Amino acid sequence: EPEVTQTPSHQVTQMGQEVILRCVPISNHLYFYWYRQILGQKVEFLVSFYNNEISEKSEIFDDQFSVERPDGSNFTLKIRSTKLEDSAMYFCASSSSTDTQYFGPGTRLTVL
Amino acid sequence: QQQVKQSPQSLIVQKGGISIINCAYENTAFDYFPWYQQFPGKGPALLIAIRPDVSEKKEGRFTISFNKSAKQFSLHIMDSQPGDSATYFCAASIGGATNKLIFGTGTLLAVQP
């Protein structure tokens, strides 16, 4: 069964450093998303991406965040200057035009 | 108005019992209501979903009941098993499955053998 994959599974970084979280969505999907989940809290929407552009973003997704689909298979989330409060589990998801969103296993980001 | 309220926060059920998790929303523009199951260290996985033109949807032991007038929907897990022990999130979106999901706060279910 096709699945969304994410790398790395755990990223530890120093405050102020840049991080790039990587995702490989399901191959025939057209819609891509990033969500985050702070430990013990609910899953929160960050951004959705379709047709090579952002279709919607939340208040959390400020100028420190960016997304990119650098080739036909990868989808990345970049945080330019990490803060302590960016520590969370980051989930990538993808969907086709008629189906629901399938989530990857997540990247745990720890900012020290 | 974009919130989805979920209860209870945690639930303990005996094996074979019925687990019931409830969600409520305010925004009548929501038109897609999925339930996700999440095991520790894993991403949320779609369990079952419903649209507001249907009052109930059943898949195996999992049933969604939807009350449009009350703006509530619930997940029923029949014959609960220890393997069902996980966190369950309700969610809602406007414009269907491809739009952003607004998640509830989650319910930690423990099914005791």
Side-chain angles (χ1 to χ4, degrees):
Chain A
E1 185 177 316
E3 58 182 17
V4 177
T5 59
Q6 291 184 243
T7 54
S9 56
H10 191 191
Q11 174 89 48
V12 181
T13 190
Q14 296 291 323
M15 190 169 55
Q17 294 297 303
E18 174 184 287
V19 294
I20 297 177
L21 310 183
R22 303 179 193 278
C23 168
V24 179
I26 295 173
S27 63
N28 62 342
H29 284 184
L30 302 173
Y31 299 82
F32 312 110
Y33 316 81
W34 284 100
Y35 291 81
R36 79 172 186 190
Q37 184 178 32
I38 295 171
L39 186 64
Q41 298 187 23
K42 67 178 179 180
V43 179
E44 299 175 288
F45 170 79
L46 291 178
V47 66
S48 57
F49 192 86
Y50 171 72
N51 201 25
N52 285 319
E53 60 183 28
I54 290 174
S55 43
E56 188 170 2
K57 59 184 181 180
S58 72
E59 294 174 351
I60 302 168
F61 195 88
D62 62 21
D63 292 344
Q64 294 301 313
F65 291 86
S66 62
V67 289
E68 195 175 46
R69 188 155 162 82
D71 53 43
S73 59
N74 291 284
F75 181 51
T76 62
L77 174 70
K78 182 194 290 186
I79 309 175
R80 263 179 273 281
S81 178
T82 49
K83 307 183 187 73
L84 294 176
E85 55 264 37
D86 293 328
S87 294
M89 195 76 157
Y90 288 81
F91 293 106
C92 173
S94 71
S95 81
S96 66
S97 60
T98 57
D99 206 350
T100 193
Q101 296 174 34
Y102 293 86
F103 284 72
T107 292
R108 178 165 299 285
L109 176 65
T110 301
V111 182
L112 302 176
Chain B
Q1 232 196 0
Q2 285 286 319
Q3 282 188 331
V4 178
K5 295 182 180 178
Q6 184 172 347
S7 62
Q9 190 174 358
S10 63
L11 181 61
I12 299 174
V13 172
Q14 295 297 314
K15 179 182 174 182
I18 302 173
S19 304
I20 301 174
I21 305 170
N22 301 298
C23 283
Y25 63 97
E26 288 296 322
N27 192 341
T28 55
F30 286 139
D31 60 1
Y32 175 73
F33 302 89
W35 284 89
Y36 280 81
Q37 179 188 56
Q38 185 181 31
F39 292 105
K42 303 291 186 184
L46 178 72
L47 201 56
I48 187 172
I50 198 168
R51 296 184 189 276
D53 53 346
V54 175
S55 62
E56 185 175 282
K57 183 174 181 180
K58 185 176 181 179
E59 288 184 4
R61 295 185 294 109
F62 301 93
T63 300
I64 299 179
S65 296
F66 187 83
N67 186 329
K68 190 174 180 178
S69 60
K71 292 183 280 188
Q72 295 174 348
F73 59 110
S74 59
L75 175 70
H76 295 236
I77 306 174
M78 312 299 287
D79 187 27
S80 299
Q81 299 296 313
D84 297 330
S85 298
T87 299
Y88 292 81
F89 291 96
C90 62
S93 73
I94 301 170
T98 57
N99 287 348
K100 72 177 181 185
L101 293 171
I102 307 297
F103 281 85
T105 48
T107 296
L108 179 61
L109 172 65
V111 181
Q112 294 185 334

